[in-house]
Amino acid sequence: MLVLGALLASAAPSFGGIALGDTRAAVIAERGDPLQTTSDGKKDTYEYVSPSGDAIQIVWFTGDAVSTVAMIFSPIPRPGGSEGTSAEGITLGEPLGEVPKLDASRIVSGSGDLAKDGTVRYRGEDGGIYEFAADKTRTIVGLIALEAPDGATAASPAPAASPVTIHGGTSLEDAIVLTGSDAAGVLAEHVYLLTRKCGSDGRWQFAKQSLVLQHGRSYDRIDATCSTGGEARAFFFDVTATMGG
């Protein structure tokens, strides 16, 4: 029991199925292909739809390791409502007036009143630093983020240990791998199309969808047309892991 307790105590803080310090390869194995990748020269980001389909999940990497994980409440209402992405008793999307009172001894910055402060930083029971931010337009909890404590070494500055493959959806063999619930998969497909430019600063628009079953796996084929120029192409998504979820 002492050994088990020590292992649990040393586990890296995690949020949305991703732990601080996870490698890029580990994140892709857990969450599938990112819908979008960006870089500012110092840190890289992967963007996903959360497993429950109620948020956009953003993962920051320093070198090859996760340094921050954030969830932003989706602007697109999920059919049936949110499943409740939560951390430290606070739920993404809940009204600001219903946010539970935080333990004052663990507040890093802010008064603990999210409606008043707009942003509160809080030391979690797992040792990670959580940031809660208000969406004042919708008067809800709009963002929850997890990052390593100041001075922690959860994120390695070393370069990626090995190349990772991110699929582009050009064929069944190159299908974009999606995970999570069925609702998450549907939202991910729409987010992917919205974030791909085409033509003269155009965007891909959904035309039709068909299900392809091959080699024991399930694929969505999305036929789309460009909003400028009329170019047409198909996008392929591997939705095997979302079927029935």
Side-chain angles (χ1 to χ4, degrees), residues 11-33:
S14 65
F15 183 42
I18 297 174
L20 297 179
D22 277 352
T23 64
R24 296 168 193 255
V27 170
I28 289 175
E30 174 67 29
R31 298 290 290 111
D33 291 311

Side-chain angles (χ1 to χ4, degrees), residues 184-208:
V186 171
L187 180 55
E189 291 173 345
H190 285 277
V191 170
Y192 190 85
L193 291 183
L194 287 171
T195 56
R196 307 265 88 71
K197 290 184 178 181
C198 61
S200 176
D201 201 29
R203 299 289 177 177
W204 291 104
Q205 296 179 328
F206 178 91
K208 67 177 181 177

Side-chain angles (χ1 to χ4, degrees), residues 158-203:
S162 59
V164 294
T165 299
I166 298 175
H167 300 102
T170 57
S171 65
L172 290 181
E173 294 73 21
D174 187 40
I176 299 154
V177 179
L178 303 180
T179 64
S181 64
D182 183 57
V186 171
L187 180 55
E189 291 173 345
H190 285 277
V191 170
Y192 190 85
L193 291 183
L194 287 171
T195 56
R196 307 265 88 71
K197 290 184 178 181
C198 61
S200 176
D201 201 29
R203 299 289 177 177

Side-chain angles (χ1 to χ4, degrees), residues 78 83 180-185 218 239-245:
R78 176 201 155 112
E83 289 188 0
S181 64
D182 183 57
S218 301
V239 295
T240 307
T242 71
M243 299 296 285

Side-chain angles (χ1 to χ4, degrees), residues 124-173:
E125 292 184 354
D126 56 12
I129 300 299
Y130 288 85
E131 180 174 306
F132 304 99
D135 180 333
K136 293 192 174 181
T137 300
R138 294 183 287 178
T139 62
I140 59 172
V141 178
L143 173 143
I144 302 176
L146 166 67
E147 60 188 58
D150 293 339
T153 57
S156 166
S162 59
V164 294
T165 299
I166 298 175
H167 300 102
T170 57
S171 65
L172 290 181
E173 294 73 21

Side-chain angles (χ1 to χ4, degrees), residues 62-90:
T62 299
D64 190 40
V66 174
S67 54
T68 304
V69 183
M71 296 278 201
I72 301 173
F73 195 65
S74 174
I76 305 173
R78 176 201 155 112
S82 168
E83 289 188 0
T85 298
S86 301
E88 299 298 312
I90 294 180

